[in-house]
Amino acid sequence: MSELGTRLKEARIAKGLSLEDLQEATKIQKRYLAGIEEGDFSMMPGPFYSRAFIKQYAEVVGLHPDELFEQYNEEIPAIKEDPYTPPTPSRRQTFASQSSSRTNEIMPKVIAALFIVTVLAVVVFFYSNLDKNDPIEEGTANDSGVPYEEPAEEAPAEPAEKPAEEKAEKPAEAPKKEEPKEPKASIKAGKPAGQTTTYDFSGPAKRELVIKVVGGPSWVQAADSNQKELFKPDTMAAGATEKLDVSGLKQVQLRLGKAANVQLAINGVPVEYKLDATTQNIVIRFAEAE
């Protein structure tokens, strides 16, 4: 064991550290730490790593690496200097490099100057052609030397007097009365409550409710606000259609079984279900559109 290794090992033991603790602190493999203590640097990757590992070891155990390197310099592997020195470039290579550098600096300036000259040439050419194509001013002589004069505009002929009958004013026609437009039908759904969804209908006073069953049979019941049945409750077959005149009613109440098979529409406006329930109640309230 070398003197350097002995001193490092004593300092480690004084700190109460094992090689495993030291390995955890320095992240250096245990076999390299043991080699440093034994003075065996043949297993190290190289002199540089040997000195770096010794420095980390010393710092962890509380020793000064610089003092150790100075005191045990003969035991620590020395880092050999690289004998290779790059060749000094010749004068010809230096001159070629300087010329290339100057060319790279000048080329952008030359390109910019050529661009400016090209733009100026285009502008001069454009204006020279513009002067040649100027139109002849008004009042100049024509090819025969005689001044050109525009022909005088002829005064429009005065219309002949209309007969006395036409001069008489026609009686003003009475304004036509515009017929009131038929209000547009619309249906607005409210928030469902349990199995019941309430809709508000606004539109024409004449209203027709169409009940159509598609996909499969469904049980349908319809009544007015006084619980008067609008038609006999029954199971409607697929493809069956029932049309009800609901003009003058305040509301219509419908009870649907297998609601997914039933399509409802008033004056062609469909009633869109807000619930996915198989059995549900539909209440439609009527109001005249403004």
Side-chain angles (χ1 to χ4, degrees):
M1 181 178 293
S2 65
E3 294 182 6
L4 172 62
T6 302
R7 185 172 179 184
L8 290 171
K9 183 176 181 180
E10 291 175 353
R12 172 176 64 78
I13 296 173
K15 286 280 187 179
L17 301 173
S18 64
L19 286 176
E20 288 78 6
D21 298 333
L22 195 63
Q23 177 180 259
E24 181 67 23
T26 61
K27 307 303 179 185
I28 300 173
Q29 295 183 20
K30 180 180 176 181
R31 62 191 183 95
Y32 292 149
L33 298 174
I36 292 174
E37 291 182 352
E38 296 171 1
D40 183 9
F41 298 101
S42 60
M43 66 180 69
M44 301 293 180
F48 175 81
Y49 291 96
S50 300
R51 298 176 72 89
F53 292 167
I54 293 171
K55 181 180 179 181
Q56 288 181 265
Y57 191 128
E59 290 175 347
V60 172
V61 298
L63 299 178
H64 295 287
D66 294 338
E67 294 180 2
L68 295 178
F69 288 149
E70 184 177 353
Q71 185 176 357
Y72 304 102
N73 185 39
E74 295 180 357
E75 296 184 19
I76 301 173
I79 300 176
K80 297 181 181 180
E81 296 182 359
D82 188 0
Y84 174 77
T85 54
T88 305
S90 62
R91 291 184 61 187
R92 179 177 298 179
Q93 292 175 338
T94 303
F95 178 76
S97 176
Q98 292 176 352
S99 300
S100 176
S101 177
R102 291 177 182 176
T103 303
N104 292 336
E105 293 179 359
I106 295 174
M107 282 303 297
K109 298 179 181 179
V110 172
I111 293 173
L114 291 174
F115 176 75
I116 294 172
V117 171
T118 303
V119 172
L120 291 176
V122 171
V123 172
V124 172
F125 176 78
F126 175 76
Y127 277 103
S128 62
N129 289 340
L130 186 63
D131 293 339
K132 294 178 181 179
N133 295 331
D134 284 345
I136 301 174
E137 296 181 358
E138 294 183 1
T140 56
N142 56 14
D143 294 341
S144 60
V146 181
Y148 174 78
E149 295 182 1
E150 294 184 358
E153 295 182 359
E154 296 182 359
E158 295 182 0
E161 294 185 1
K162 295 182 179 180
E165 295 179 357
E166 295 183 4
K167 291 182 178 181
E169 295 183 0
K170 295 182 180 180
E173 295 181 359
K176 295 182 180 179
K177 293 183 179 180
E178 294 184 0
E179 296 181 358
K181 294 182 179 180
E182 189 177 79
K184 187 177 180 180
S186 63
I187 298 176
K188 183 178 181 182
K191 187 176 181 181
Q195 293 182 340
T196 303
T197 306
T198 302
Y199 298 81
D200 290 316
F201 174 87
S202 62
K206 185 174 179 58
R207 299 181 285 265
E208 183 182 55
L209 171 63
V210 178
I211 305 171
K212 185 177 181 180
V213 178
V214 296
S218 178
W219 188 85
V220 181
Q221 179 185 10
D224 60 10
S225 57
N226 298 321
Q227 300 302 318
K228 181 181 177 181
E229 294 180 350
L230 301 179
F231 72 96
K232 185 178 179 181
D234 195 5
T235 299
M236 298 177 63
T241 301
E242 187 74 30
K243 296 182 180 180
L244 302 177
D245 184 5
V246 292
S247 303
L249 298 182
K250 293 183 179 180
Q251 70 179 31
V252 174
Q253 302 174 2
L254 296 111
R255 177 76 172 174
L256 306 178
K258 293 188 179 180
N261 295 337
V262 182
Q263 295 179 351
L264 302 176
I266 302 178
N267 289 14
V269 180
V271 177
E272 297 181 359
Y273 300 140
K274 296 298 180 181
L275 297 174
D276 294 332
T278 302
T279 302
Q280 56 180 289
N281 303 318
I282 303 295
V283 178
I284 305 174
R285 300 182 298 195
F286 299 108
E288 300 294 337
E290 296 181 357

